[in-house]
Amino acid sequence: MQRTSDTFSIPQNVKIDSIEHRDNMVEIKWSDKHTGLYSYAWLHAHSQDMSSIEGTKSVPYPQSAMRPPRRKFTPVVDPDQTPRVKYDDVMSDDESLHIWLTHIWDQGFCFVDDVPVSPEATQILIERIAFIRNTHYGGFWDFTADLTFKDTAYTNEFLGAHTDNTYFTDPARLQLFHLLSHTEGSGGENLLVDGFAAAAQLRLEKPEHYAQLVNHRHPWHASGNEDTCIQPSAMAPVFSMHPDLNKMYQIRWNNYDRAPKTNWSASEQTIWYRAARHYNEILKSREIWTKLKPGSALMFDNWRMLHGRSQFTGKRRMCGGYVNNDDYISRLRLLKFGRKEVLDNLGNVGNNPQNPYWFI
């Protein structure tokens, strides 16, 4: 499906010689003697917003269709109503896979029950979506609290709500945890918070605080191990806004990994910390606590959901891994829309309420 013609060999003054309509296609013969075939679906998906073209008065589609709708999501507030699917269903049926990924998109996370309690079964569960992302932690994890990596995740300490990979230019989108065993101790309850829902509440209560977390970009880092000092290629805000769709699409919130920031004044610091404190208070009020157990894996959207855990004692073995954003969204788009509609809408950033591009 790649472009195969040499764009720059086409004459600059090329014109249409003739147009013929047939079935669901348009055939155009051009003045340089080549013929183009265009489906009506493709033409509709890529039609211009005529109101933006100078000298044009008519608008082919309602203005409401030109503006992408706000992202709708379903926050979960009751631990007893957490979305769940079955391992065998997900592994054997694409419709069940679609349901699983849609739960993650709509609600931010989903449990997979009846997972065989083994690293091997957990790994192929993640790979049902896409390949596992490799990082400085490796690919598929199978770890205990032994500080193999100098990171708070590899301890038994309390971990407050945070997103992972704030220090990457491209943070991983999905994250899966499967508790394989916990013996000779207690604790280690799992914490989830819907960062999008908390951000929406912040925007309602104090729009100026919301703006602070959008507008101020911060440095982030991972420097615990001697051979690692990872920082994103550019500083990034807590709330990232999509430049085409005008909506928040990613949260970076990790007090452990936020690096010192120098390019702001004392007054700007004061205002930002006031806004961050407000957001932190909202996050605490929206916490969902669950208990991970062997045989039940948790997959969540790391661009939306903050996670953490309570302190624990004893021996705790956990496995899991990351999946990249592009691979997750590719899988979800194709399952939801089908290949034809996805291809018809390549490059489309507007005017179609069912546009697959809105899944980001």
Side-chain angles (χ1 to χ4, degrees):
M1 299 302 297
Q2 292 175 295
R3 190 188 305 272
T4 56
S5 59
D6 178 2
T7 299
F8 307 105
S9 68
I10 300 172
Q12 292 188 53
N13 60 348
V14 68
K15 292 180 173 55
I16 294 174
D17 275 350
S18 65
I19 300 177
E20 181 180 337
H21 298 270
R22 54 159 93 164
D23 297 328
N24 295 316
M25 301 287 291
V26 174
E27 179 182 294
I28 297 180
K29 292 184 177 177
W30 297 88
S31 57
D32 66 347
K33 306 306 180 187
H34 85 269
T35 299
L37 293 173
Y38 309 88
S39 72
Y40 291 140
W42 186 91
L43 289 169
H44 182 272
H46 294 86
S47 58
Q48 292 177 306
D49 175 0
M50 300 302 290
S51 64
S52 67
I53 300 176
E54 187 176 353
T56 303
K57 295 181 180 179
S58 61
V59 178
Y61 300 104
Q63 280 293 337
S64 59
M66 298 297 179
R67 294 190 298 269
R70 288 200 178 277
R71 163 78 186 273
K72 294 182 179 179
F73 53 88
T74 307
V76 174
V77 294
D78 185 349
D80 295 328
Q81 296 179 345
T82 54
R84 314 189 85 91
V85 293
K86 298 285 189 182
Y87 177 85
D88 286 344
D89 293 341
V90 167
M91 295 303 298
S92 62
D93 176 53
D94 276 356
E95 181 54 35
S96 296
L97 176 62
H98 181 202
I99 291 170
W100 182 31
L101 299 186
T102 300
H103 276 312
I104 298 168
W105 173 261
D106 287 339
Q107 291 144 299
F109 68 102
C110 186
F111 285 92
V112 182
D113 292 327
D114 302 330
V115 182
V117 185
S118 72
E120 294 78 14
T122 309
Q123 181 170 345
I124 63 172
L125 172 62
I126 303 173
E127 291 171 343
R128 181 76 170 100
I129 303 172
F131 69 91
I132 294 172
R133 174 169 172 170
N134 270 280
T135 70
H136 58 302
Y137 300 112
F140 182 77
W141 325 309
D142 183 353
F143 68 97
T144 59
D146 60 1
L147 272 179
T148 299
F149 295 94
K150 305 303 186 287
D151 187 285
T152 46
Y154 288 78
T155 71
N156 61 358
E157 301 170 3
F158 166 80
L159 287 180
H162 65 280
T163 59
D164 273 16
N165 299 168
T166 55
Y167 39 76
F168 287 149
T169 301
D170 175 29
R173 182 69 183 266
L174 298 184
Q175 187 167 353
L176 183 138
F177 287 135
H178 185 195
L179 179 68
L180 297 177
S181 63
H182 187 180
T183 59
E184 303 174 21
S186 60
E189 287 78 14
N190 187 66
L191 165 64
L192 287 171
V193 187
D194 189 334
F196 282 4
Q201 182 178 336
L202 178 68
R203 188 174 188 174
L204 284 173
E205 293 180 2
K206 282 273 188 178
E208 61 271 30
H209 284 178
Y210 179 90
Q212 285 290 316
L213 301 190
V214 169
N215 294 329
H216 277 287
R217 297 180 303 114
H218 288 268
W220 312 85
H221 77 110
S223 309
N225 287 79
E226 292 294 326
D227 60 350
T228 300
C229 187
I230 298 172
Q231 301 174 72
S233 57
M235 293 192 297
V238 174
F239 300 155
S240 290
M241 303 297 292
H242 196 282
D244 299 317
L245 305 181
N246 192 30
K247 64 184 180 182
M248 185 177 70
Y249 71 100
Q250 184 188 72
I251 293 175
R252 297 183 195 232
W253 181 261
N254 194 320
N255 204 45
Y256 305 99
D257 296 337
R258 188 160 44 84
K261 178 175 168 67
T262 60
N263 61 335
W264 57 350
S265 66
S267 60
E268 287 175 323
Q269 293 176 43
T270 300
I271 296 169
W272 185 89
Y273 274 105
R274 187 177 298 129
R277 187 181 297 274
H278 186 181
Y279 185 56
N280 190 61
E281 290 167 354
I282 293 173
L283 290 171
K284 287 184 176 296
S285 72
R286 304 184 72 97
E287 293 178 349
I288 303 169
W289 287 92
T290 59
K291 181 70 173 177
L292 299 182
K293 60 182 181 180
S296 185
L298 168 64
M299 179 73 89
F300 60 92
D301 183 347
N302 182 56
W303 286 16
R304 169 182 173 181
M305 302 298 295
L306 288 66
H307 67 283
R309 64 147 192 264
S310 65
Q311 186 176 7
F312 67 91
T313 59
K315 298 177 181 179
R316 195 168 180 258
R317 183 184 174 193
M318 185 80 73
C319 69
Y322 293 126
V323 174
N324 282 324
N325 167 68
D326 295 337
D327 304 293
Y328 160 54
I329 296 301
S330 168
R331 199 82 155 109
L332 178 57
R333 279 179 180 148
L334 289 169
L335 288 167
K336 179 175 177 61
F337 295 100
R339 181 168 172 80
K340 181 181 184 304
E341 188 166 354
V342 170
L343 291 178
D344 281 345
N345 281 277
L346 288 175
N348 178 11
V349 296
N351 85 20
N352 180 356
Q354 297 300 316
N355 182 0
Y357 185 71
W358 290 341
F359 277 74
I360 54 172

